[in-house]
Amino acid sequence: MTYIPMLAFIKSTSKQKNPIDTISKFSPMFYLALILGFFSPQDLLAQKRDTTNIEQAIENYIAGWRTGNIELLKKTFDLEAGVVLWVDKNGESEQLKSMALSELANGVKPDDGFGIGYTIQDLKIIDSKLAIATIKVPLPRKKSYYIDCLEMQKINGEWKIVLKSFVYFPKE
């Protein structure tokens, strides 16, 4: 027995419109309203507030490092679980190193030129508790710079650096 789809033999006698034609006739305002409908004013306000607070935490990190202000760094870092990672190059070999952020904060010394003119290259708020920022930190006296990748988490309502990894770009 051969199966023949019946739909192939049915002709539409009604004047139905193609749904694609109908959708394409909506005004741009409809699409804007549709998109904005997914974001409540509270969500947009919370995201703006988070962005501002993350940028302030980054500014505190840079200022703490520049001035040697250990207390400012401690306020910015998650001291209980935070970690810094980097690749240490010793001759031809490279090795991944790590240190607790609390240890890093306690060992900071003032560096007048550190981070002046830093730029946030990328900032992504993953959700209301997690963000990732990439910043370029100039070292003017050495004519070099760092690229810091900071994972930040909101802990007890405050954005903290929980993971810092960096790459140093020496003077060429």
Side-chain angles (χ1 to χ4, degrees):
M1 177 185 237
T2 305
Y3 174 76
I4 300 174
M6 292 303 292
L7 291 176
F9 296 106
I10 300 174
K11 290 186 177 180
S12 175
T13 57
S14 68
K15 300 269 183 184
Q16 294 179 349
K17 292 183 178 180
N18 182 345
I20 301 299
D21 291 337
T22 304
I23 291 172
S24 67
K25 292 181 183 176
F26 288 132
S27 74
M29 291 304 291
F30 170 78
Y31 293 113
L32 180 62
L34 184 63
I35 290 168
L36 291 178
F38 288 112
F39 302 104
S40 72
Q42 293 84 6
D43 291 341
L44 294 173
L45 184 60
Q47 185 172 10
K48 175 65 176 154
R49 191 172 32 249
D50 281 340
T51 300
T52 300
N53 291 337
I54 290 167
E55 290 170 346
Q56 184 60 55
I58 291 170
E59 176 62 32
N60 290 343
Y61 157 68
I62 296 291
W65 199 271
R66 183 181 315 121
T67 61
N69 185 333
I70 294 171
E71 293 309 312
L72 192 55
L73 284 174
K74 286 182 175 182
K75 181 180 172 189
T76 305
F77 292 154
D78 173 15
L79 298 174
E80 292 180 30
V83 177
V84 59
L85 300 171
W86 71 98
V87 174
D88 188 29
K89 191 167 186 171
N90 187 4
E92 292 297 313
S93 68
E94 294 180 334
Q95 184 178 14
L96 184 64
K97 300 278 190 162
S98 67
M99 174 190 305
L101 285 174
S102 57
E103 187 179 343
L104 180 68
N106 286 326
V108 72
K109 306 239 183 313
D111 183 351
D112 292 342
F114 182 84
I116 293 175
Y118 78 92
T119 54
I120 298 175
Q121 303 287 304
D122 191 29
L123 173 59
K124 288 190 178 17
I125 299 175
I126 309 302
D127 65 21
S128 63
K129 296 279 188 186
L130 177 65
I132 297 174
T134 307
I135 60 175
K136 183 175 181 179
V137 183
L139 304 169
R141 285 192 315 250
K142 296 179 181 179
K143 293 187 172 52
S144 60
Y145 61 95
Y146 284 100
I147 297 292
D148 276 349
C149 183
L150 307 173
E151 180 179 314
M152 303 178 77
Q153 292 189 12
K154 192 186 286 185
I155 302 170
N156 297 322
E158 291 186 40
W159 285 98
K160 302 277 188 178
I161 297 170
V162 297
L163 177 63
K164 167 187 159 70
S165 63
F166 66 89
V167 177
Y168 175 66
F169 294 88
K171 180 178 158 181
E172 293 183 16

